[in-house]
Amino acid sequence: MAVMKIRGAATVAGTWLNEAVSFVVFCVLDIVDSFLCILYKAADYLFEAEWKPCYCLSDKEPITTTRGKILLSHNNGESKILTLSPLQELGGRSKIELEDISETLYTRPSLISDLSNISELNKRFVKVTRSESECSGHHEKTKNKKRRSLTKSSLTVNITVVEMLRGKIRPQNLSHDISRWSDCDCGFCTSWASTSDKDHSLFVKTQIPNGVTAKEDVLFIHGFISSSAFWTETVFPSLSASSSAHRLFAVDLLGFGKSPKPADSLYTLREHVDMIEKSVLHKHNVKSFHIVAHSLGCILALSLAARHGGLIKSLTLLAPPYYPVPTGERKPRQYVMKKVAPRKVWPPIALGASMACWYEHISRTICLLICKHHRVWQFIARVLTRNNRTVNFLIEGFMCHTHNAAWHTLHNIICGTGSKLDTYLDIVRDKLKCNVTIFHGGDDELIPVECSYNVKERIPRARVKVIEHKDHITMVVGRQDEFARELQEIWKTSSC
């Protein structure tokens, strides 16, 4: 009994210490990020001769000077922007869904303001204002009706979103193939820009059976700041072409690995899924397929399942980041962001996630130090690990992206899905008959095991398998042969 009391007291003391230290550290980081904001503005102007807007700016301006067409819908008496459709096709992307843009990109209150409950003073992402003139006289009702039909709605968004949207609808700014000064410009990172194919596609690694006709297709989707090598260096060799009758596709997501990293992209869920469809499903004439997805890739997998319904033969999700939003929660995306990045210094992985999610300029600095100089770090890693391929492909995937890609993907997909995942999961539960299997590392500190059980609660037929003593990465890396056998069993069962 005494031992239990001592352990309980130690746990409480440790929790309070973590809270206290975290408060001090993140208050300092709030100040550092503000300083870096000024520093990067000066550096951008020095190296690129123009100011670059950032999401920490509070300035707003209406979208009234764009060359695109703004469409408004009126729901419950409230105007809301749905799409921005350019006057011409822009590299295959003819519309931008503004509601796919997460307000967490710029609504990230400091720790002090959050604790002081003044975060409610932050402006909402979309603000619609209307004005109607007062009417008088015996024709008041008629005049009011006429005025309502002519009422103009003005829409206000964060200035950075405005600037990026303007860039997307200006023909001269479409390519953005030239890297920014803070991004790596090596041949590996810019290989997509030198291709003769004007209509860029994702990098896709394909493994086709030898000597036999492929019976089924399998799409592999990697997680955040990773690449297709997460699969091709592990599972693909175990599913050798000589012993598998499946056609395997592993993609580098938009902005990662060898895939395009356009500077004008907002990396929304729609853009990611559209690129997967274009680069795999359409290009390789995929009719029905299995999906294997890890971490962030699970969100894309569920979105694909919601789109393609009966084409999905099985869903295998590894560590799905599903945080159910409580009923009545007014800011679902903010809720998810605080779950993903709780602003804690312990465990260390929570500190890393919080720095990447809450601080635009600190995370850009990390990318500047790591991603821009990835060749140096990879050389050091090869020397220290004696060219250990397992370590090197993980490092390569971790470093080969831009800050713009990582920042927008993190907010617009992981945080921005918010309550959307409920809809996708309900579609899988009610409209799809495919098998759903979930794997999760028992020692995963990045995404808790509860997330997988949350999915099962939403989809009762889902089967959850917790891999004891494995974490977010080692649930696959290091046990790839066993995992490959598990996949083959899933595909065999799903094909019966």
Side-chain angles (χ1 to χ4, degrees):
M1 183 66 69
V3 174
M4 293 181 63
K5 288 184 178 180
I6 293 175
R7 288 179 178 176
T11 300
V12 172
T15 301
W16 278 103
L17 179 62
N18 191 18
E19 292 286 345
V21 174
S22 297
F23 179 80
V24 174
V25 169
F26 283 96
C27 284
V28 172
L29 291 178
D30 287 339
I31 298 173
V32 172
D33 200 62
S34 299
F35 171 76
L36 288 175
C37 174
I38 300 173
L39 188 63
Y40 277 117
K41 287 220 178 324
D44 288 339
Y45 189 79
L46 176 64
F47 289 109
E48 300 179 1
E50 61 177 334
W51 298 105
K52 295 290 184 180
C54 60
Y55 286 108
C56 62
L57 290 178
S58 59
D59 296 358
K60 311 283 194 299
E61 64 177 90
I63 300 182
T64 56
T65 59
T66 58
R67 297 175 59 186
K69 178 182 179 182
I70 295 178
L71 304 177
L72 294 174
S73 69
H74 299 272
N75 297 322
N76 300 321
E78 185 173 329
S79 298
K80 185 177 182 180
I81 192 164
L82 294 179
T83 62
L84 183 79
S85 301
L87 300 178
Q88 55 184 319
E89 291 288 329
L90 302 180
R93 291 168 292 176
S94 60
K95 67 178 180 178
I96 304 162
E97 298 285 342
L98 288 191
E99 57 187 3
D100 288 341
I101 301 173
S102 175
E103 75 273 6
T104 61
L105 281 167
Y106 74 93
T107 307
R108 289 166 285 105
S110 67
L111 190 60
I112 294 177
S113 65
D114 199 18
L115 294 178
S116 303
N117 198 30
I118 64 173
S119 60
E120 292 297 325
L121 298 178
N122 290 326
K123 300 294 184 180
R124 298 179 62 183
F125 176 66
V126 176
K127 179 181 179 182
V128 179
T129 57
R130 294 182 178 184
S131 60
E132 293 187 4
S133 301
E134 294 293 329
C135 301
S136 59
H138 66 283
H139 295 300
E140 182 176 357
K141 292 184 179 180
T142 303
K143 291 181 178 180
N144 282 343
K145 184 176 181 181
K146 184 176 181 179
R147 284 189 175 91
R148 281 195 298 270
S149 66
L150 296 175
T151 297
K152 294 183 178 180
S153 298
S154 62
L155 180 134
T156 313
V157 298
N158 181 270
I159 187 173
T160 302
V161 177
V162 173
E163 292 298 323
M164 295 196 77
L165 292 178
R166 284 176 175 167
K168 290 175 78 71
I169 65 173
R170 288 174 183 162
Q172 65 268 27
N173 288 340
L174 284 179
S175 62
H176 275 228
D177 291 346
I178 301 176
S179 300
R180 297 191 62 182
W181 69 270
S182 55
D183 295 331
C184 180
D185 59 356
C186 73
F188 180 90
C189 293
T190 61
S191 59
W192 63 275
S194 60
T195 179
S196 59
D197 183 7
K198 302 280 185 180
D199 195 9
H200 297 300
S201 299
L202 300 180
F203 173 81
V204 182
K205 180 67 175 181
T206 306
Q207 181 169 292
I208 301 175
N210 290 330
V212 295
T213 303
K215 295 180 180 179
E216 296 178 325
D217 295 325
V218 185
L219 172 62
F220 289 83
I221 309 176
H222 65 78
F224 185 57
I225 53 176
S226 184
S227 72
S228 58
F230 185 79
W231 307 112
T232 60
E233 294 288 339
T234 57
V235 181
F236 275 34
S238 299
L239 296 170
S240 63
S242 59
S243 62
S244 175
H246 296 87
R247 190 168 55 154
L248 310 179
F249 301 97
V251 301
D252 281 353
L253 294 176
L254 184 67
F256 299 89
K258 296 182 181 179
S259 283
K261 304 172 181 64
D264 64 341
S265 176
L266 292 171
Y267 296 90
T268 63
L269 181 66
R270 183 178 302 274
E271 288 179 282
H272 277 286
V273 173
D274 284 349
M275 287 295 285
I276 292 175
E277 290 176 334
K278 166 188 168 183
S279 307
V280 180
L281 305 189
H282 301 160
K283 186 174 183 179
H284 296 278
N285 195 30
V286 174
K287 298 301 181 183
S288 63
F289 56 103
H290 304 271
I291 300 181
V292 182
H294 178 235
S295 192
L296 171 141
C298 296
I299 299 174
L300 304 179
L302 290 168
S303 180
L304 281 166
R307 280 196 189 191
H308 296 281
L311 297 182
I312 309 299
K313 306 200 75 171
S314 73
L315 271 175
T316 303
L317 308 177
L318 286 70
Y322 174 50
Y323 301 90
V325 179
T327 303
E329 174 63 45
R330 295 179 57 189
K331 297 180 178 180
R333 291 165 172 171
Q334 296 281 339
Y335 175 85
V336 173
M337 180 174 68
K338 291 177 181 178
K339 286 290 185 180
V340 172
R343 283 191 290 191
K344 295 288 189 295
V345 297
W346 191 265
I349 199 166
L351 173 63
S354 299
M355 292 177 67
C357 192
W358 285 89
Y359 300 105
E360 180 180 0
H361 304 291
I362 290 177
S363 59
R364 184 179 177 184
T365 302
I366 294 172
C367 285
L368 174 63
L369 295 175
I370 296 178
C371 300
K372 183 177 176 64
H373 304 95
H374 67 89
R375 288 168 294 179
V376 175
W377 295 112
Q378 288 168 3
F379 173 77
I380 295 174
R382 284 194 294 270
V383 172
L384 295 179
T385 64
R386 297 182 180 180
N387 204 27
N388 185 307
R389 181 56 195 166
T390 300
V391 175
N392 290 329
F393 86 75
L394 290 172
I395 292 177
E396 182 180 281
F398 179 77
M399 293 183 177
C400 292
H401 60 272
T402 65
H403 175 253
N404 183 60
W407 177 258
H408 285 89
T409 297
L410 176 59
H411 283 278
N412 285 336
I413 298 184
I414 295 183
C415 300
T417 50
S419 57
K420 281 186 179 181
L421 275 184
D422 291 344
T423 302
Y424 298 153
L425 292 169
D426 289 347
I427 291 175
V428 173
R429 179 193 63 204
D430 300 332
K431 297 184 178 181
L432 276 65
K433 297 181 180 180
C434 64
N435 290 336
V436 180
T437 308
I438 306 170
F439 292 87
H440 212 119
D443 295 338
D444 193 336
E445 293 183 333
L446 181 61
I447 299 177
V449 177
E450 287 75 14
C451 287
S452 287
Y453 286 111
N454 290 337
V455 174
K456 179 174 177 57
E457 186 175 347
R458 201 85 187 188
I459 307 177
R461 74 174 185 274
R463 182 173 65 92
V464 177
K465 181 175 181 179
V466 177
I467 313 299
E468 298 297 340
H469 310 300
K470 300 297 180 181
D471 58 27
H472 198 66
I473 301 298
T474 57
M475 62 187 298
V476 174
V477 179
R479 61 178 299 272
Q480 51 263 32
D481 291 337
E482 182 181 352
F483 182 62
R485 289 193 296 269
E486 292 168 335
L487 286 179
Q488 288 178 317
E489 185 61 30
I490 291 171
W491 300 337
K492 180 180 178 181
T493 304
S494 302
S495 301
C496 294

